[in-house]
Amino acid sequence: MKVTAEHNERMAKLTFASVYPHYLTKIERKGRTKEELHQVIKWLTGFDESKIQEYITDKITFETFFNNAKLNPNASLIKGVICGYRIEEIDNALTQKVRYLDKLVDELAKGRPMEKILRKG
């Protein structure tokens, strides 16, 4: 699928707080934990537990979320298709980062080992 300007705008305005419960439900339904979800978020963004909670409470947009993140240098190793989009072909940096997070959550829910999710080999 081709990413459109409208899609990019929607990603920017989406709040982390609106998506987080879906991430949590998805991974818990598959036997993973909130702690594992937070480990994945921290790996990608550098945000600790209190920062994650603050961003949920403050209902910040993904645009602000990723503007404040220190993206992991290995994030570019996240490849594949998520929601019909090939991650490595997304040319909008913000949309690509949102899809990185979606992909990591998806891998967590599918039972992938944490060392693989965190691109450790």
Side-chain angles (χ1 to χ4, degrees):
M1 253 191 303
K2 184 78 177 119
V3 176
T4 63
E6 294 81 15
H7 180 263
N8 290 334
E9 186 66 26
R10 205 169 59 246
M11 291 287 106
K13 288 190 163 71
L14 200 60
T15 65
F16 177 65
S18 69
V19 177
Y20 178 83
H22 299 287
Y23 289 159
L24 194 55
T25 300
K26 181 176 186 170
I27 61 109
E28 286 181 339
R29 201 173 36 230
K30 299 293 186 168
R32 301 306 283 257
T33 65
K34 178 180 178 179
E35 290 72 27
E36 288 175 307
L37 175 59
H38 286 202
Q39 184 181 355
V40 165
I41 294 170
K42 182 175 183 173
W43 177 85
L44 181 63
T45 64
F47 299 144
D48 64 13
E49 186 80 29
S50 65
K51 191 53 84 175
I52 292 169
Q53 201 50 59
E54 176 187 324
Y55 286 164
I56 292 169
T57 303
D58 293 350
K59 296 181 170 49
I60 64 153
T61 63
F62 268 124
E63 184 171 34
T64 302
F65 182 85
F66 281 108
N67 281 343
N68 293 338
K70 284 183 50 122
L71 206 65
N72 189 294
N74 287 338
S76 62
L77 299 176
I78 303 168
K79 299 190 182 324
V81 176
I82 189 76
C83 302
Y85 299 98
R86 178 153 293 284
I87 294 171
E88 56 271 29
E89 293 174 2
I90 297 173
D91 57 7
N92 179 282
L94 175 62
T95 300
Q96 187 176 52
K97 291 172 189 172
V98 172
R99 294 306 182 191
Y100 281 161
L101 183 54
D102 289 344
K103 183 70 171 174
L104 294 177
V105 170
D106 195 52
E107 290 176 357
L108 188 62
K110 287 182 176 169
R112 196 159 195 229
M114 192 59 82
E115 60 273 5
K116 296 271 191 214
I117 296 171
L118 303 184
R119 306 311 194 252
K120 291 183 179 176

